[in-house]
Amino acid sequence: MALQQHQSNPVRIANEVGMLRSGMGGPIVLVEGATDTRLFRRLFIPSPQARVIHCKGKSNLLGAIDMVTSRGITGVLGICDADFDRLLGEPAIDNVFPVDHHDTEIMICASPAFSHFYAELYEREADDREMQRTRARLLNYSSIIGKLRLWSIQNGGKVGFKTLNAGEFIERDGVFNIQSCIETLMVGKDLDSNTLLSVAKTSTESPETEISCGHDFTSLLDFDAAIRRRSRPHGREVVEKMLRLSFDAKSFSNTQMYVALRSWEKEERLKLIPDS
């Protein structure tokens, strides 16, 4: 499956889709970023039967899908992170398939692939109960930050998260320091710490896997594992690469997105996913 690069905007992407369609009849898949391309090209049938286009962002992907649809080009789909769309009640878009849970990293962490990844990251043969406890604890921490992220979106982006490294707030005993995290988020912002603390501690019926951001969770994993190993963190990017490599076709087949893509194949009469 070929990796397409862009000086991306929706018009350029839609034009490229049109040119590809004129020379091929197979599926054309739009994905958000380069890491998504590397992940999904392992799981789909190879080029030239199927092609993938890296859109450099969700907004570019959604805009391109809209243009492609309006031009009557068929056999094109988009795969993107759900982010908070389901929690915010955003309507589904034809031929756009959000990953399970909040984003790709959380989807993988919720899959059977996590057990193999866990053993490598923590450098220990842990039993299933220990692995489940660690995952649940760190998902709880990342959901706390997720509630702050969602609150910020709903309140005009008042909180800045670009430089946040969630794992830095895990103490040596494995407890997450909420107060320290909030104080960091407040730097240079006209915010009340009690308001943010109240948001962080508010209970929610939303699943933690829907509200947790993958980058927060992988950062927490990185630092938590480093404490257990008594070594330095690897870095979030390394941890996320390990996650992607752990996610195989069998794990993919257990996702809701897999089922949706199989239905898309039947409707479009196109082959996207190899038979096992």
Side-chain angles (χ1 to χ4, degrees):
M1 183 173 290
L3 174 62
Q4 306 293 330
Q5 295 293 341
H6 289 277
Q7 295 179 354
S8 293
N9 64 42
V11 174
R12 288 194 178 110
I13 297 166
N15 289 342
E16 179 171 352
V17 169
M19 287 187 290
L20 281 174
R21 177 54 72 229
S22 67
M24 64 171 290
I28 300 172
V29 185
L30 310 187
V31 297
E32 286 191 55
T35 57
D36 300 306
T37 303
R38 292 195 291 272
L39 173 65
F40 288 109
R41 68 179 176 183
R42 290 194 288 110
L43 303 172
F44 297 156
I45 61 175
S47 178
Q49 288 87 0
R51 301 291 287 271
V52 64
I53 296 177
H54 161 203
C55 296
K56 293 188 177 178
K58 186 174 180 177
S59 61
N60 284 332
L61 185 155
L62 296 179
I65 285 286
D66 185 59
M67 291 180 183
V68 165
T69 300
S70 68
R71 296 177 187 180
I73 303 172
T74 60
V76 183
L77 67 136
I79 293 175
C80 63
D81 290 339
D83 300 318
F84 294 109
D85 290 351
R86 285 188 282 258
L87 300 185
L88 293 172
E90 296 292 339
I93 300 173
D94 288 345
N95 297 314
V96 174
F97 297 88
V99 300
D100 293 21
H101 310 294
H102 185 92
D103 52 36
T104 302
E105 289 79 19
I106 297 296
M107 178 177 71
I108 299 173
C109 288
S111 79
F114 185 78
S115 60
H116 305 295
F117 160 82
Y118 182 89
E120 287 295 326
L121 182 64
Y122 282 78
E123 296 180 0
R124 56 188 288 115
E125 289 298 327
D127 62 31
D128 186 66
R129 184 177 298 179
E130 176 189 319
M131 183 270 291
Q132 297 281 5
R133 281 200 306 264
T134 300
R135 178 166 57 186
R137 174 171 57 87
L138 298 183
L139 271 173
N140 178 255
Y141 297 163
S142 59
S143 71
I144 290 171
I145 302 173
K147 284 183 281 189
L148 294 171
R149 288 181 179 274
L150 181 57
W151 179 88
S152 182
I153 290 171
Q154 294 173 318
N155 289 272
K158 290 184 177 180
V159 184
F161 292 91
K162 284 187 177 181
T163 60
L164 180 69
N165 193 354
E168 293 180 347
F169 303 101
I170 289 189
E171 307 286 1
R172 299 301 300 178
D173 59 0
V175 174
F176 184 67
N177 191 327
I178 302 174
Q179 189 66 49
S180 180
C181 179
I182 287 174
E183 288 172 1
T184 299
L185 291 172
M186 288 179 57
V187 173
K189 302 286 183 178
D190 184 19
L191 293 168
D192 176 24
S193 63
N194 290 327
T195 298
L196 296 186
L197 190 60
S198 176
V199 170
K201 292 185 175 182
T202 299
S203 60
T204 175
E205 295 181 358
S206 302
E208 290 180 336
T209 55
E210 287 288 344
I211 202 166
S212 295
C213 171
H215 292 325
D216 294 332
F217 187 67
T218 52
S219 176
L220 290 163
L221 274 168
D222 187 26
F223 278 77
D224 189 71
I227 291 170
R228 298 272 194 98
R229 297 190 313 261
R230 297 183 181 181
S231 62
R232 295 178 62 83
H234 294 309
R236 193 191 73 198
E237 293 81 5
V238 173
V239 172
E240 291 178 0
K241 183 179 290 187
M242 291 172 64
L243 259 184
R244 290 190 297 273
L245 290 172
S246 75
F247 194 62
D248 57 13
K250 184 176 181 180
S251 297
F252 178 47
S253 69
N254 288 318
T255 64
Q256 295 175 20
M257 185 175 65
Y258 175 90
V259 175
L261 291 175
R262 282 299 196 189
S263 295
W264 181 90
E265 285 182 318
K266 291 180 181 179
E267 291 174 6
E268 296 289 327
R269 298 182 179 181
L270 292 173
K271 192 67 177 172
L272 176 64
I273 303 170
D275 293 323
S276 58

